[in-house]
Amino acid sequence: MNKVLQFGLHSSKFLAVPLRSLRFGSSIVSVRVGATSFNKRFMSNATSPFSINNTKGKEMKGSDRDEMGNIQDGQKEIEAMTVQELRATLRKHGLPVNGLKKELISSLRLHMDSNLQDESSSAEIKETTSSTLSESVTIKRKIRNKEESTEDDCISAEAYGERRVKQSTEKKLKAKVSSKAISNEQKSLTKTGKQKLRLKEEEASLTISSKVLKTDEIISSLNQSEPWTLLAHKKPEEDWKAYNPKTMRPPPLPEGTKSMKIMTWNVNGLRALLKLESFSALQLAQRENFDVLCLQETKIQVKDVEEVKKALSDGYDHSFWSCSVSKLGYSGTAIISRIKPLSVRYGTGLSGSDHDMEGRIVTAEFESFYLISTYVPNSGDGLKRLSYRIEEWDRTLSKYIKELEKSKPVVLTGDLNCAHEEIDIYNPAGNKRSAGFTIEERQSFRENFLDKGFVDTFRKQHPGVVGYTYWGYRHGTRKTNKGWRLDYFLVSESISANVHDSYILPDINGSDHCPIGLILKL
């Protein structure tokens, strides 16, 4: 009774491909071309079944030798095919049909070997999933190995070995070349992708740069038109901020709240200011709607007062002027008010003192407080008046306001000619011996005013804010906000809680100082 041996190798894809069959006498060779399995059916006279169980390193059993014989018979049948049959078979499989019979046989065998090799990996995977399938795959692998060994009958061992080595080498080279080609393609794609990404990044960068440039232009434009918004200081601390009246002023008081708005301004020559077409006292009054305006460094003489009054805004019918008589066109202070004061004083009342002769003090008494408009003497070039300033002027003024304070609280305002702290001056290190920032002046300011119970209203409201009120003409420092804070509202401690707002108006030009304001609840 004939025994049938059937084996097959299947890939993981399980593709269905038509079988191509070749009949050689009593044997049938079925080839599934380019697909997932390769089947051979050999007829033999063997009467008993057989199995192969991991024969690696073991002697062949009788059934193994019988099977090897069957495989050899099948190989001989292939060799027995005519040239026409071989070419027809090869043509069906899409293989070359040129050459001698020996070459055609070799081509068919190589094709079969290739199919078997391609399927070996999937067979090994199947082997791990099932013990039965594992045994079958092992059998098929053994048969394939034996089949390959029988080819030595037709091709010398040396020639076959060379062919196998050549085939293996060609496959490796092809795999290497293919891998390299894929790698190059990936690199090319990666390079292309990187180029595209780089182009996108550059476009995004250009867009962002354009936006940044526009933002920078806007910021630069704002800094040019509003330089005070730029924090300008040579030794700023971490929490310091630039003063911006647009964002740092409190909301207006509720309607009906009784209060008084007082402004003060060192005009550095009132006549020159009134001649300016770009700005006038009338415009300041319309914009700020102040109740009282204090002026310093008016530089007018007594004979000019009436003429100057005519140029002032209507509605401010009460004005009081103190002019220098020791030096004409020098110093000078004033108080202009829409509210009639209870009384007015000029100077400190100390006859013959220089500070009374230079028109540096005007005092107006209102119902709730005294208001003093003062222009403190500058220590001058070379600090020539430093000792006069700290030993006479500051002490006299301190005694004067403390005497007034016995009856009413005092509001002291004007150009006090002292940047009290480092935050009050752009370049503290470079001005330690400059008039207005010497250690002596700063110490005198503290001892005669702050230590006597007067409150610096702006600094109390804005403890970490850099806000200047003076910028020298000499180097155009106003454009870069390199200034000093020399103008103040100092108030008696008893009314410091009534201060609603203490502010600076750095946008108002016309002088090397700018106006400052105080809103005091009554």
Side-chain angles (χ1 to χ4, degrees), residues 265-294:
W265 191 8
N266 180 325
V267 293
N268 192 19
L270 186 56
R271 279 182 173 275
L273 178 65
L274 294 176
K275 290 178 181 178
L276 290 177
E277 295 181 0
S278 59
F279 193 79
S280 70
L282 176 61
Q283 289 173 304
L284 178 62
Q286 290 174 339
R287 169 178 154 172
E288 293 300 318
N289 191 30
F290 52 76
D291 297 300
V292 182
L293 174 64
C294 298

PDB file of all heavy atoms in Angstrom, residues 265-294:
ATOM      1  N   TRP A 265       3.933 123.142  40.861  1.00  0.00           N
ATOM      2  CA  TRP A 265       4.768 123.044  39.663  1.00  0.00           C
ATOM      3  C   TRP A 265       5.886 124.068  39.718  1.00  0.00           C
ATOM      4  O   TRP A 265       5.635 125.269  39.891  1.00  0.00           O
ATOM      5  CB  TRP A 265       3.889 123.287  38.437  1.00  0.00           C
ATOM      6  CG  TRP A 265       4.533 122.981  37.119  1.00  0.00           C
ATOM      7  CD1 TRP A 265       5.737 122.389  36.893  1.00  0.00           C
ATOM      8  CD2 TRP A 265       3.985 123.242  35.824  1.00  0.00           C
ATOM      9  NE1 TRP A 265       5.981 122.264  35.563  1.00  0.00           N
ATOM     10  CE2 TRP A 265       4.908 122.772  34.870  1.00  0.00           C
ATOM     11  CE3 TRP A 265       2.791 123.812  35.378  1.00  0.00           C
ATOM     12  CZ2 TRP A 265       4.694 122.875  33.499  1.00  0.00           C
ATOM     13  CZ3 TRP A 265       2.571 123.915  34.030  1.00  0.00           C
ATOM     14  CH2 TRP A 265       3.510 123.450  33.080  1.00  0.00           C
ATOM     15  N   ASN A 266       7.097 123.596  39.595  1.00  0.00           N
ATOM     16  CA  ASN A 266       8.240 124.484  39.389  1.00  0.00           C
ATOM     17  C   ASN A 266       8.265 124.808  37.892  1.00  0.00           C
ATOM     18  O   ASN A 266       8.650 123.975  37.070  1.00  0.00           O
ATOM     19  CB  ASN A 266       9.548 123.816  39.817  1.00  0.00           C
ATOM     20  CG  ASN A 266      10.766 124.712  39.614  1.00  0.00           C
ATOM     21  OD1 ASN A 266      10.845 125.491  38.681  1.00  0.00           O
ATOM     22  ND2 ASN A 266      11.731 124.581  40.509  1.00  0.00           N
ATOM     23  N   VAL A 267       7.862 126.033  37.559  1.00  0.00           N
ATOM     24  CA  VAL A 267       7.692 126.400  36.145  1.00  0.00           C
ATOM     25  C   VAL A 267       8.981 126.891  35.497  1.00  0.00           C
ATOM     26  O   VAL A 267       9.031 127.089  34.283  1.00  0.00           O
ATOM     27  CB  VAL A 267       6.596 127.465  35.993  1.00  0.00           C
ATOM     28  CG1 VAL A 267       5.242 126.877  36.366  1.00  0.00           C
ATOM     29  CG2 VAL A 267       6.916 128.701  36.841  1.00  0.00           C
ATOM     30  N   ASN A 268      10.017 127.142  36.311  1.00  0.00           N
ATOM     31  CA  ASN A 268      11.303 127.590  35.773  1.00  0.00           C
ATOM     32  C   ASN A 268      11.132 128.798  34.846  1.00  0.00           C
ATOM     33  O   ASN A 268      11.652 128.824  33.732  1.00  0.00           O
ATOM     34  CB  ASN A 268      11.988 126.437  35.025  1.00  0.00           C
ATOM     35  CG  ASN A 268      13.448 126.736  34.701  1.00  0.00           C
ATOM     36  OD1 ASN A 268      14.062 127.613  35.311  1.00  0.00           O
ATOM     37  ND2 ASN A 268      14.000 126.025  33.728  1.00  0.00           N
ATOM     38  N   GLY A 269      10.388 129.761  35.314  1.00  0.00           N
ATOM     39  CA  GLY A 269      10.155 130.978  34.540  1.00  0.00           C
ATOM     40  C   GLY A 269       8.735 131.013  34.009  1.00  0.00           C
ATOM     41  O   GLY A 269       8.422 130.391  32.980  1.00  0.00           O
ATOM     42  N   LEU A 270       7.856 131.739  34.724  1.00  0.00           N
ATOM     43  CA  LEU A 270       6.436 131.765  34.347  1.00  0.00           C
ATOM     44  C   LEU A 270       6.200 132.506  33.050  1.00  0.00           C
ATOM     45  O   LEU A 270       5.343 132.112  32.253  1.00  0.00           O
ATOM     46  CB  LEU A 270       5.619 132.404  35.473  1.00  0.00           C
ATOM     47  CG  LEU A 270       4.105 132.389  35.311  1.00  0.00           C
ATOM     48  CD1 LEU A 270       3.586 130.967  35.103  1.00  0.00           C
ATOM     49  CD2 LEU A 270       3.434 133.041  36.518  1.00  0.00           C
ATOM     50  N   ARG A 271       6.933 133.554  32.798  1.00  0.00           N
ATOM     51  CA  ARG A 271       6.743 134.314  31.561  1.00  0.00           C
ATOM     52  C   ARG A 271       6.984 133.421  30.342  1.00  0.00           C
ATOM     53  O   ARG A 271       6.218 133.441  29.377  1.00  0.00           O
ATOM     54  CB  ARG A 271       7.691 135.510  31.526  1.00  0.00           C
ATOM     55  CG  ARG A 271       7.212 136.715  32.321  1.00  0.00           C
ATOM     56  CD  ARG A 271       8.220 137.862  32.174  1.00  0.00           C
ATOM     57  NE  ARG A 271       7.713 139.088  32.775  1.00  0.00           N
ATOM     58  CZ  ARG A 271       6.913 139.950  32.164  1.00  0.00           C
ATOM     59  NH1 ARG A 271       6.487 139.702  30.942  1.00  0.00           N
ATOM     60  NH2 ARG A 271       6.511 141.043  32.789  1.00  0.00           N
ATOM     61  N   ALA A 272       8.065 132.678  30.383  1.00  0.00           N
ATOM     62  CA  ALA A 272       8.383 131.785  29.260  1.00  0.00           C
ATOM     63  C   ALA A 272       7.298 130.730  29.085  1.00  0.00           C
ATOM     64  O   ALA A 272       6.916 130.391  27.962  1.00  0.00           O
ATOM     65  CB  ALA A 272       9.731 131.133  29.498  1.00  0.00           C
ATOM     66  N   LEU A 273       6.776 130.235  30.181  1.00  0.00           N
ATOM     67  CA  LEU A 273       5.736 129.213  30.103  1.00  0.00           C
ATOM     68  C   LEU A 273       4.461 129.768  29.469  1.00  0.00           C
ATOM     69  O   LEU A 273       3.828 129.116  28.641  1.00  0.00           O
ATOM     70  CB  LEU A 273       5.434 128.671  31.503  1.00  0.00           C
ATOM     71  CG  LEU A 273       4.322 127.616  31.589  1.00  0.00           C
ATOM     72  CD1 LEU A 273       4.713 126.349  30.846  1.00  0.00           C
ATOM     73  CD2 LEU A 273       4.002 127.292  33.051  1.00  0.00           C
ATOM     74  N   LEU A 274       4.100 130.988  29.856  1.00  0.00           N
ATOM     75  CA  LEU A 274       2.861 131.570  29.335  1.00  0.00           C
ATOM     76  C   LEU A 274       2.961 131.905  27.850  1.00  0.00           C
ATOM     77  O   LEU A 274       1.947 132.009  27.161  1.00  0.00           O
ATOM     78  CB  LEU A 274       2.513 132.825  30.120  1.00  0.00           C
ATOM     79  CG  LEU A 274       2.152 132.582  31.598  1.00  0.00           C
ATOM     80  CD1 LEU A 274       1.921 133.912  32.310  1.00  0.00           C
ATOM     81  CD2 LEU A 274       0.921 131.688  31.718  1.00  0.00           C
ATOM     82  N   LYS A 275       4.181 132.059  27.360  1.00  0.00           N
ATOM     83  CA  LYS A 275       4.377 132.345  25.942  1.00  0.00           C
ATOM     84  C   LYS A 275       4.306 131.096  25.071  1.00  0.00           C
ATOM     85  O   LYS A 275       4.189 131.193  23.851  1.00  0.00           O
ATOM     86  CB  LYS A 275       5.725 133.028  25.730  1.00  0.00           C
ATOM     87  CG  LYS A 275       5.785 134.451  26.278  1.00  0.00           C
ATOM     88  CD  LYS A 275       7.166 135.053  26.084  1.00  0.00           C
ATOM     89  CE  LYS A 275       7.247 136.474  26.657  1.00  0.00           C
ATOM     90  NZ  LYS A 275       8.602 137.046  26.518  1.00  0.00           N
ATOM     91  N   LEU A 276       4.386 129.956  25.686  1.00  0.00           N
ATOM     92  CA  LEU A 276       4.348 128.718  24.911  1.00  0.00           C
ATOM     93  C   LEU A 276       2.987 128.511  24.281  1.00  0.00           C
ATOM     94  O   LEU A 276       1.953 128.634  24.931  1.00  0.00           O
ATOM     95  CB  LEU A 276       4.666 127.510  25.808  1.00  0.00           C
ATOM     96  CG  LEU A 276       6.107 127.375  26.308  1.00  0.00           C
ATOM     97  CD1 LEU A 276       6.209 126.172  27.241  1.00  0.00           C
ATOM     98  CD2 LEU A 276       7.076 127.192  25.141  1.00  0.00           C
ATOM     99  N   GLU A 277       2.983 128.215  22.975  1.00  0.00           N
ATOM    100  CA  GLU A 277       1.717 127.971  22.283  1.00  0.00           C
ATOM    101  C   GLU A 277       1.233 126.535  22.494  1.00  0.00           C
ATOM    102  O   GLU A 277       0.062 126.239  22.332  1.00  0.00           O
ATOM    103  CB  GLU A 277       1.888 128.242  20.786  1.00  0.00           C
ATOM    104  CG  GLU A 277       2.196 129.700  20.464  1.00  0.00           C
ATOM    105  CD  GLU A 277       2.335 129.934  18.976  1.00  0.00           C
ATOM    106  OE1 GLU A 277       2.192 128.936  18.218  1.00  0.00           O
ATOM    107  OE2 GLU A 277       2.587 131.086  18.577  1.00  0.00           O
ATOM    108  N   SER A 278       2.192 125.663  22.833  1.00  0.00           N
ATOM    109  CA  SER A 278       1.837 124.252  22.971  1.00  0.00           C
ATOM    110  C   SER A 278       1.052 123.965  24.242  1.00  0.00           C
ATOM    111  O   SER A 278       0.340 122.978  24.328  1.00  0.00           O
ATOM    112  CB  SER A 278       3.107 123.391  22.964  1.00  0.00           C
ATOM    113  OG  SER A 278       3.963 123.771  24.037  1.00  0.00           O
ATOM    114  N   PHE A 279       1.199 124.807  25.230  1.00  0.00           N
ATOM    115  CA  PHE A 279       0.512 124.541  26.488  1.00  0.00           C
ATOM    116  C   PHE A 279       0.330 125.843  27.261  1.00  0.00           C
ATOM    117  O   PHE A 279       1.147 126.760  27.157  1.00  0.00           O
ATOM    118  CB  PHE A 279       1.312 123.546  27.338  1.00  0.00           C
ATOM    119  CG  PHE A 279       0.537 122.997  28.491  1.00  0.00           C
ATOM    120  CD1 PHE A 279      -0.386 121.994  28.289  1.00  0.00           C
ATOM    121  CD2 PHE A 279       0.714 123.494  29.773  1.00  0.00           C
ATOM    122  CE1 PHE A 279      -1.120 121.482  29.346  1.00  0.00           C
ATOM    123  CE2 PHE A 279      -0.010 122.991  30.830  1.00  0.00           C
ATOM    124  CZ  PHE A 279      -0.932 121.982  30.609  1.00  0.00           C
ATOM    125  N   SER A 280      -0.715 125.892  28.046  1.00  0.00           N
ATOM    126  CA  SER A 280      -0.966 127.089  28.839  1.00  0.00           C
ATOM    127  C   SER A 280      -1.557 126.704  30.188  1.00  0.00           C
ATOM    128  O   SER A 280      -2.017 125.574  30.384  1.00  0.00           O
ATOM    129  CB  SER A 280      -1.948 128.020  28.114  1.00  0.00           C
ATOM    130  OG  SER A 280      -3.244 127.443  28.089  1.00  0.00           O
ATOM    131  N   ALA A 281      -1.542 127.657  31.115  1.00  0.00           N
ATOM    132  CA  ALA A 281      -2.128 127.416  32.432  1.00  0.00           C
ATOM    133  C   ALA A 281      -3.616 127.135  32.317  1.00  0.00           C
ATOM    134  O   ALA A 281      -4.192 126.363  33.096  1.00  0.00           O
ATOM    135  CB  ALA A 281      -1.887 128.623  33.327  1.00  0.00           C
ATOM    136  N   LEU A 282      -4.260 127.755  31.312  1.00  0.00           N
ATOM    137  CA  LEU A 282      -5.683 127.523  31.096  1.00  0.00           C
ATOM    138  C   LEU A 282      -5.943 126.065  30.737  1.00  0.00           C
ATOM    139  O   LEU A 282      -6.881 125.442  31.255  1.00  0.00           O
ATOM    140  CB  LEU A 282      -6.206 128.442  29.990  1.00  0.00           C
ATOM    141  CG  LEU A 282      -7.681 128.240  29.579  1.00  0.00           C
ATOM    142  CD1 LEU A 282      -8.583 128.510  30.768  1.00  0.00           C
ATOM    143  CD2 LEU A 282      -8.046 129.146  28.414  1.00  0.00           C
ATOM    144  N   GLN A 283      -5.103 125.507  29.854  1.00  0.00           N
ATOM    145  CA  GLN A 283      -5.268 124.108  29.472  1.00  0.00           C
ATOM    146  C   GLN A 283      -5.052 123.180  30.659  1.00  0.00           C
ATOM    147  O   GLN A 283      -5.753 122.184  30.816  1.00  0.00           O
ATOM    148  CB  GLN A 283      -4.291 123.752  28.338  1.00  0.00           C
ATOM    149  CG  GLN A 283      -4.660 124.391  27.003  1.00  0.00           C
ATOM    150  CD  GLN A 283      -3.580 124.156  25.967  1.00  0.00           C
ATOM    151  OE1 GLN A 283      -2.422 124.501  26.177  1.00  0.00           O
ATOM    152  NE2 GLN A 283      -3.954 123.553  24.853  1.00  0.00           N
ATOM    153  N   LEU A 284      -4.062 123.504  31.503  1.00  0.00           N
ATOM    154  CA  LEU A 284      -3.817 122.685  32.689  1.00  0.00           C
ATOM    155  C   LEU A 284      -5.032 122.728  33.618  1.00  0.00           C
ATOM    156  O   LEU A 284      -5.452 121.700  34.157  1.00  0.00           O
ATOM    157  CB  LEU A 284      -2.569 123.185  33.421  1.00  0.00           C
ATOM    158  CG  LEU A 284      -2.217 122.445  34.715  1.00  0.00           C
ATOM    159  CD1 LEU A 284      -1.929 120.981  34.435  1.00  0.00           C
ATOM    160  CD2 LEU A 284      -1.036 123.117  35.414  1.00  0.00           C
ATOM    161  N   ALA A 285      -5.614 123.916  33.776  1.00  0.00           N
ATOM    162  CA  ALA A 285      -6.790 124.050  34.642  1.00  0.00           C
ATOM    163  C   ALA A 285      -7.978 123.281  34.073  1.00  0.00           C
ATOM    164  O   ALA A 285      -8.724 122.628  34.814  1.00  0.00           O
ATOM    165  CB  ALA A 285      -7.141 125.525  34.797  1.00  0.00           C
ATOM    166  N   GLN A 286      -8.161 123.359  32.756  1.00  0.00           N
ATOM    167  CA  GLN A 286      -9.277 122.645  32.139  1.00  0.00           C
ATOM    168  C   GLN A 286      -9.092 121.138  32.242  1.00  0.00           C
ATOM    169  O   GLN A 286     -10.049 120.399  32.458  1.00  0.00           O
ATOM    170  CB  GLN A 286      -9.397 123.060  30.671  1.00  0.00           C
ATOM    171  CG  GLN A 286      -9.877 124.490  30.497  1.00  0.00           C
ATOM    172  CD  GLN A 286      -9.854 124.932  29.051  1.00  0.00           C
ATOM    173  OE1 GLN A 286      -9.137 124.359  28.214  1.00  0.00           O
ATOM    174  NE2 GLN A 286     -10.635 125.974  28.730  1.00  0.00           N
ATOM    175  N   ARG A 287      -7.876 120.704  32.075  1.00  0.00           N
ATOM    176  CA  ARG A 287      -7.599 119.253  32.123  1.00  0.00           C
ATOM    177  C   ARG A 287      -7.705 118.699  33.534  1.00  0.00           C
ATOM    178  O   ARG A 287      -8.328 117.656  33.754  1.00  0.00           O
ATOM    179  CB  ARG A 287      -6.198 118.978  31.563  1.00  0.00           C
ATOM    180  CG  ARG A 287      -5.707 117.566  31.811  1.00  0.00           C
ATOM    181  CD  ARG A 287      -4.355 117.309  31.198  1.00  0.00           C
ATOM    182  NE  ARG A 287      -3.655 116.252  31.908  1.00  0.00           N
ATOM    183  CZ  ARG A 287      -2.515 115.717  31.512  1.00  0.00           C
ATOM    184  NH1 ARG A 287      -1.918 116.175  30.422  1.00  0.00           N
ATOM    185  NH2 ARG A 287      -1.950 114.774  32.214  1.00  0.00           N
ATOM    186  N   GLU A 288      -7.111 119.374  34.504  1.00  0.00           N
ATOM    187  CA  GLU A 288      -7.018 118.823  35.857  1.00  0.00           C
ATOM    188  C   GLU A 288      -8.114 119.325  36.788  1.00  0.00           C
ATOM    189  O   GLU A 288      -8.377 118.697  37.815  1.00  0.00           O
ATOM    190  CB  GLU A 288      -5.655 119.152  36.449  1.00  0.00           C
ATOM    191  CG  GLU A 288      -4.492 118.461  35.751  1.00  0.00           C
ATOM    192  CD  GLU A 288      -4.598 116.948  35.814  1.00  0.00           C
ATOM    193  OE1 GLU A 288      -4.959 116.419  36.887  1.00  0.00           O
ATOM    194  OE2 GLU A 288      -4.322 116.286  34.791  1.00  0.00           O
ATOM    195  N   ASN A 289      -8.705 120.447  36.450  1.00  0.00           N
ATOM    196  CA  ASN A 289      -9.773 121.009  37.282  1.00  0.00           C
ATOM    197  C   ASN A 289      -9.351 121.102  38.750  1.00  0.00           C
ATOM    198  O   ASN A 289     -10.064 120.681  39.667  1.00  0.00           O
ATOM    199  CB  ASN A 289     -11.041 120.166  37.146  1.00  0.00           C
ATOM    200  CG  ASN A 289     -12.250 120.843  37.774  1.00  0.00           C
ATOM    201  OD1 ASN A 289     -12.323 122.091  37.801  1.00  0.00           O
ATOM    202  ND2 ASN A 289     -13.186 120.058  38.278  1.00  0.00           N
ATOM    203  N   PHE A 290      -8.159 121.610  38.965  1.00  0.00           N
ATOM    204  CA  PHE A 290      -7.639 121.728  40.327  1.00  0.00           C
ATOM    205  C   PHE A 290      -8.334 122.868  41.088  1.00  0.00           C
ATOM    206  O   PHE A 290      -8.913 123.779  40.492  1.00  0.00           O
ATOM    207  CB  PHE A 290      -6.123 121.943  40.307  1.00  0.00           C
ATOM    208  CG  PHE A 290      -5.676 123.076  39.428  1.00  0.00           C
ATOM    209  CD1 PHE A 290      -5.833 124.387  39.820  1.00  0.00           C
ATOM    210  CD2 PHE A 290      -5.080 122.817  38.193  1.00  0.00           C
ATOM    211  CE1 PHE A 290      -5.415 125.440  39.025  1.00  0.00           C
ATOM    212  CE2 PHE A 290      -4.655 123.861  37.382  1.00  0.00           C
ATOM    213  CZ  PHE A 290      -4.824 125.168  37.800  1.00  0.00           C
ATOM    214  N   ASP A 291      -8.221 122.817  42.395  1.00  0.00           N
ATOM    215  CA  ASP A 291      -8.745 123.885  43.242  1.00  0.00           C
ATOM    216  C   ASP A 291      -7.683 124.928  43.549  1.00  0.00           C
ATOM    217  O   ASP A 291      -7.986 126.129  43.627  1.00  0.00           O
ATOM    218  CB  ASP A 291      -9.283 123.308  44.556  1.00  0.00           C
ATOM    219  CG  ASP A 291     -10.463 122.365  44.335  1.00  0.00           C
ATOM    220  OD1 ASP A 291     -11.478 122.822  43.789  1.00  0.00           O
ATOM    221  OD2 ASP A 291     -10.346 121.166  44.695  1.00  0.00           O
ATOM    222  N   VAL A 292      -6.477 124.456  43.718  1.00  0.00           N
ATOM    223  CA  VAL A 292      -5.373 125.351  44.059  1.00  0.00           C
ATOM    224  C   VAL A 292      -4.146 124.954  43.241  1.00  0.00           C
ATOM    225  O   VAL A 292      -3.852 123.758  43.092  1.00  0.00           O
ATOM    226  CB  VAL A 292      -5.037 125.278  45.561  1.00  0.00           C
ATOM    227  CG1 VAL A 292      -3.902 126.256  45.894  1.00  0.00           C
ATOM    228  CG2 VAL A 292      -6.262 125.570  46.413  1.00  0.00           C
ATOM    229  N   LEU A 293      -3.417 125.956  42.735  1.00  0.00           N
ATOM    230  CA  LEU A 293      -2.170 125.724  42.019  1.00  0.00           C
ATOM    231  C   LEU A 293      -1.053 126.482  42.722  1.00  0.00           C
ATOM    232  O   LEU A 293      -1.144 127.718  42.879  1.00  0.00           O
ATOM    233  CB  LEU A 293      -2.280 126.181  40.566  1.00  0.00           C
ATOM    234  CG  LEU A 293      -0.980 126.119  39.738  1.00  0.00           C
ATOM    235  CD1 LEU A 293      -0.492 124.669  39.600  1.00  0.00           C
ATOM    236  CD2 LEU A 293      -1.202 126.744  38.358  1.00  0.00           C
ATOM    237  N   CYS A 294      -0.010 125.765  43.124  1.00  0.00           N
ATOM    238  CA  CYS A 294       1.173 126.385  43.730  1.00  0.00           C
ATOM    239  C   CYS A 294       2.287 126.433  42.692  1.00  0.00           C
ATOM    240  O   CYS A 294       2.497 125.448  41.957  1.00  0.00           O
ATOM    241  CB  CYS A 294       1.633 125.577  44.944  1.00  0.00           C
ATOM    242  SG  CYS A 294       0.420 125.473  46.272  1.00  0.00           S
TER     243      CYS A 294
END
